[in-house]
Amino acid sequence: MTGLQDQPRLTPASRPRTAARLAAVQALFQIEQNGDRPDSVIEQFLLHRFGTTMSGAGYEDGCIPEADTRLFSTIVRDTVSSLTSLTQTISDTLPATWPIERLDPVLRALLMAAIAEARAGDAPAPVLINEYMDVAHGFFSGDEPRLINGVLDTVFKQMNAADGHDTATDTQPD
């Protein structure tokens, strides 16, 4: 083994929260493309896509082993319930020459899931950016992960400033 093959990597089974985020992006894509109800899609994933099969099926086979199902369900529900607000947030962040409708639907789902999860406040912004960039690398091989990084960084900084946690002002003496 040489090069990248020598690098130790976490397997999906050892990263249940990453697997949940990946599944949430897939579920949100399915909801948008097919007009399916969120609860129906969540149930489909819980019954048919999560867990280890007898044959050892994995991502290539449409299965998602060892995912945090609670996180998955929360991301999907929170994203769908805040769709209008999330769409506006992303639209406001993108250049005027690049409307949200022009984004790949998987990219839209990924951005919405990340921002919805950030609004819940359970994970720090840098962790979410890294996690969703990892998910983006699973779907894209071009510049899309850089776009994810830029948009999420901008949105999370705006959210932080709006919450009164602007690091520039927090470090100034009174």
Side-chain angles (χ1 to χ4, degrees):
M1 293 173 88
T2 61
L4 291 177
Q5 295 170 338
D6 292 333
Q7 300 296 320
R9 294 182 55 100
L10 291 174
T11 61
S14 64
R15 295 181 65 184
R17 294 179 66 81
T18 302
R21 291 174 176 114
L22 173 73
V25 170
Q26 292 173 326
L28 292 166
F29 173 84
Q30 180 177 333
I31 291 166
E32 178 184 329
Q33 295 300 301
N34 299 337
D36 294 341
R37 288 185 12 255
D39 287 336
S40 173
V41 173
I42 290 169
E43 184 177 341
Q44 288 172 21
F45 272 73
L46 293 174
L47 292 175
H48 304 292
R49 306 273 306 270
F50 289 137
T52 305
T53 65
M54 294 293 282
S55 65
Y59 289 102
E60 310 80 36
D61 306 305
C63 294
I64 304 165
E66 314 260 346
D68 180 337
T69 56
R70 186 182 341 216
L71 177 62
F72 161 77
S73 298
T74 300
I75 293 169
V76 173
R77 285 189 177 104
D78 288 354
T79 301
V80 172
S81 71
S82 303
L83 205 54
T84 302
S85 171
L86 293 168
T87 300
Q88 187 62 52
T89 298
I90 296 167
S91 294
D92 291 347
T93 306
L94 293 171
T97 58
W98 200 281
I100 192 169
E101 297 81 21
R102 190 172 170 191
L103 289 179
D104 179 279
V106 174
L107 215 68
R108 266 195 313 271
L110 197 149
L111 288 168
M112 289 187 184
I115 296 167
E117 188 175 353
R119 287 179 176 175
D122 294 335
V127 169
L128 290 177
I129 290 172
N130 285 335
E131 283 285 299
Y132 281 97
M133 283 184 62
D134 284 351
V135 171
H137 282 291
F139 290 108
F140 303 103
S141 60
D143 290 336
E144 291 86 352
R146 287 181 39 214
L147 175 65
I148 294 293
N149 184 30
V151 170
L152 293 181
D153 185 55
T154 300
V155 170
F156 294 168
K157 283 179 181 173
Q158 291 170 350
M159 288 171 58
N160 205 17
D163 289 342
H165 300 292
D166 189 332
T167 55
T169 58
D170 286 348
T171 58
Q172 299 296 322
D174 289 334

